[in-house]
Amino acid sequence: GAMEDKRNIPIIEWEHLDKRKFYVFGICMTMMIRVSVYPFTLIRTRLQVQKGKSLYNGTFDAFVKILRTEGAAGLYRGFLVNTFTLISGQCYVTTYELTRKYVSRYNNNNAVKSLVAGGSASLVAQSITVPIDVISQHLMMQRKGESMGRFKVQNQDGKRMLVFGQTKDIIVQIFKADGFRGFYRGYVASLLTYIPNSAVWWPFYHFYAEQLSSLTPKDCPHLLLQAISGPLAAATASTLTNPMDVIRARVQVEGKSSIILTFRQLMAEEGPWGLTKGLSARIISATPSTIVIVVGYETLKKLSLRPELVDSRHW
């Protein structure tokens, strides 16, 4: 039919992959992205938590100031702990793919599959991520000799504490203050940030890809379209969910328990603009990772195809 000449975007399903390759490639790729965007994650968190513009004027200003006062290490506070969220990334992908497979038994609509799978994947991932987030965010808050959050890392007789020494210290303090629940501070706020974020991301990604596909000449490489629509979708999703993200960061770092009170307080202190705090840093940190995830995910799937499928006409 008329639809047939439209570039058909092959959706690679889970069964076609060599799982071991997939995970190994995936982890190496993710680590590379992580190292490059982590400073912006740290900056975004500090911007979201600071009162008004008390410390930093914006993303660039924060970058320069942190570099000046705390050196490169300052931009990587909490990085090692944060790496543990890699596990949740793998769980996300696995849950996403398996849910997709399960849903396709009942409904083959791509949007439905993406939505349900995206939502479930987020739920699983957040349960692993939140405690790690809470800990690493408290580490991000440690500035030279002071803290922006509730907890301050003890410096034992002026010696720098070992990397995991600080982590242990924060874990103990969180546990003392709030018990086990402390590690799930902001769990609901996290779900309210990330589930819509991932649910919104997929439809927008497909939407932008289709729009671009119809605007560009036939021979325009498919990967390029994906590399553009990914970040566009991410920026759209980030903008829509940023208000919740600011609240999430504050709930987790300041140890508040109520989303609504945190929201009210933010509105009272900083007005609606307060809800855009850290947005540009968030988009900056989301863009490279999204490009790599999109291009990487597709390429990764191709690289990880089971050998017998590679030369089949499937492609």
Side-chain angles (χ1 to χ4, degrees):
M3 287 303 287
E4 294 309 287
D5 58 314
K6 209 170 143 289
R7 250 172 312 197
N8 185 19
I9 302 185
I11 291 175
I12 305 181
E13 296 294 354
W14 190 236
E15 298 80 86
H16 306 147
L17 300 182
D18 171 342
K19 309 290 183 293
R20 213 177 47 221
K21 265 190 196 166
F22 186 71
Y23 284 123
V24 174
F25 281 136
I27 288 176
C28 298
M29 221 168 59
T30 317
M31 277 314 288
M32 276 156 55
I33 306 170
R34 287 283 171 100
V35 173
S36 57
V37 303
Y38 189 80
F40 293 100
T41 310
L42 179 130
I43 288 169
R44 158 190 130 199
T45 310
R46 289 194 179 187
L47 291 175
Q48 287 174 337
V49 171
Q50 72 172 352
K51 296 267 172 277
K53 287 193 171 11
S54 53
L55 288 166
Y56 311 112
N57 278 322
T59 306
F60 185 69
D61 183 50
F63 188 81
V64 174
K65 278 184 182 154
I66 295 171
L67 208 51
R68 247 207 330 261
T69 56
E70 310 173 43
L75 291 167
Y76 283 93
R77 285 177 193 274
F79 179 72
L80 276 177
V81 180
N82 197 271
T83 338
F84 285 110
T85 56
L86 273 177
I87 310 162
S88 77
Q90 297 302 326
C91 294
Y92 179 91
V93 174
T94 310
T95 311
Y96 180 79
E97 296 288 357
L98 294 177
T99 313
R100 240 186 116 79
K101 198 167 138 185
Y102 180 74
V103 173
S104 61
R105 284 193 228 160
Y106 304 97
N107 189 324
N108 232 341
N109 178 335
N110 195 27
V112 174
K113 285 202 288 195
S114 298
L115 242 154
V116 178
S120 325
S122 281
L123 245 167
V124 172
Q126 284 312 303
S127 307
I128 301 166
T129 307
V130 171
I132 301 170
D133 258 353
V134 169
I135 296 163
S136 71
Q137 283 177 159
H138 280 296
L139 288 166
M140 290 177 192
M141 291 299 114
Q142 307 302 319
R143 294 165 62 232
K144 223 181 179 135
E146 54 190 315
S147 165
M148 296 167 64
R150 299 163 73 194
F151 304 119
K152 189 173 174 313
V153 170
Q154 310 304 316
N155 265 349
Q156 286 157 338
D157 33 281
K159 284 203 308 286
R160 284 297 307 275
M161 277 177 78
L162 290 168
V163 175
F164 286 113
Q166 295 197 349
T167 306
K168 206 178 80 197
D169 192 21
I170 290 283
I171 291 176
V172 170
Q173 291 185 53
I174 295 173
F175 196 74
K176 271 200 192 122
D178 295 337
F180 188 69
R181 280 191 41 213
F183 297 100
Y184 277 92
R185 273 247 185 251
Y187 183 63
V188 176
S190 271
L191 291 179
L192 291 177
T193 307
Y194 292 115
I195 289 190
N197 198 46
S198 97
V200 164
W201 190 91
W202 290 100
F204 270 112
Y205 167 60
H206 291 302
F207 168 76
Y208 288 129
E210 275 160 27
Q211 294 304 312
L212 283 167
S213 177
S214 58
L215 294 171
T216 49
K218 272 262 193 300
D219 51 3
C220 177
H222 186 86
L223 217 52
L224 184 67
L225 301 185
Q226 289 173 320
I228 299 169
S229 32
L232 279 177
T236 312
S238 295
T239 309
L240 292 173
T241 56
N242 201 67
M244 204 59 229
D245 194 45
V246 177
I247 289 161
R248 174 194 67 84
R250 294 192 158 206
V251 165
Q252 289 178 335
V253 170
E254 294 167 359
K256 299 197 170 66
S257 46
S258 159
I259 292 177
I260 293 156
L261 287 176
T262 309
F263 175 73
R264 282 207 192 122
Q265 189 189 350
L266 180 71
M267 290 301 267
E269 288 170 5
E270 316 193 14
W273 281 110
L275 298 172
T276 62
K277 293 180 84 132
L279 179 58
S280 55
R282 193 168 166 212
I283 290 177
I284 292 173
S285 70
T287 303
S289 44
T290 316
I291 294 180
V292 176
I293 285 166
V294 170
V295 176
Y297 195 56
E298 297 304 321
T299 317
L300 198 73
K301 281 175 156 185
K302 284 183 186 151
L303 287 174
S304 316
L305 266 184
R306 295 222 223 85
E308 67 271 19
L309 287 169
V310 173
D311 37 58
S312 71
R313 302 285 358 120
H314 193 106
W315 298 105

